[in-house]
Amino acid sequence: TPEDYYRSAERKYGKKDYQGALADFDRSISINPNFAQGYAGRGNVKHTQLQDYRGALADYNQSIQLKPDIATVYSFRGDLKVDRLQDYRGALADFNRAISIGSSLAIAYGSRGSLKHDRLKDRAGGIADVQQAARLFKQQGDLENHRTAIGLLKKWQQTGKNSGR
């Protein structure tokens, strides 16, 4: 089933077998061309491991078209738009949508906060979002990402002090 290949792809991705993961995501889609999660997973491999950014964007778009209520796909696409496409307004819209669907999606708050602070020069908005991300990471027991968020806030605080703000 598409779900079986999807799970296999996730296991392969976890073992850093990215080509194997890509092949299994492809199989999940070939079995069911309407399997939104397969496109999202394949897009993630293309984005994070294969540097196929246009391919990743196409897969994220297809996943969203098929199933527009998966918050993580908007967050993935937002990250791609920030990191590789410099589409900051599009990324902001994606993070906003991800948060409106999944208000406990800590990673979307963190990504939106970094975008606001670093690219859109909305420092207060960025700080508020990363603080929310830190709270959610802590509530969800994700202590590694909680520490990362707290570290980013401390870095911003130091940068603000050093620049006289």
Side-chain angles (χ1 to χ4, degrees), residues 62-81:
Q62 183 65 24
S63 179
I64 288 168
Q65 183 178 342
L66 291 168
K67 194 164 184 188
D69 62 345
I70 305 174
T72 55
V73 181
Y74 288 96
S75 189
F76 293 158
R77 189 173 72 176
D79 286 334
L80 174 66
K81 287 178 178 179

Side-chain angles (χ1 to χ4, degrees), residues 11 14 22-23 26 28-29 33 46 50 59 64-65 71 82-83 92 103 110 119 123 125 131 140 147 150 162:
R11 285 190 299 275
L22 186 66
D26 285 342
S28 76
I29 293 165
K46 289 177 179 180
L50 304 180
D59 280 344
I64 288 168
Q65 183 178 342
V82 170
D83 297 339
L92 182 62
S103 62
R119 304 289 183 186
R123 287 173 173 69
Q131 287 172 331
Q140 296 162 6
R147 281 190 294 274
I150 295 298
N162 293 340

Side-chain angles (χ1 to χ4, degrees), residues 7 63 147 154 165:
R7 285 189 292 275
S63 179
R147 281 190 294 274
K154 287 180 180 178
R165 284 186 230 153

Side-chain angles (χ1 to χ4, degrees), residues 4 6 9 17 35 38 48 57 85 88 97-98 113-114 130 152 165:
D4 292 333
Y6 181 87
D17 175 8
F35 186 54
T48 63
L57 182 62
L85 306 177
Y88 305 131
R97 181 72 178 128
S114 292
V130 174
L152 183 58
R165 284 186 230 153

Side-chain angles (χ1 to χ4, degrees), residues 42-64:
R42 187 172 74 177
N44 197 38
V45 173
K46 289 177 179 180
H47 172 197
T48 63
Q49 303 304 321
L50 304 180
Q51 290 74 49
D52 176 7
Y53 306 121
R54 294 292 170 189
L57 182 62
D59 280 344
Y60 292 151
N61 289 342
Q62 183 65 24
S63 179
I64 288 168

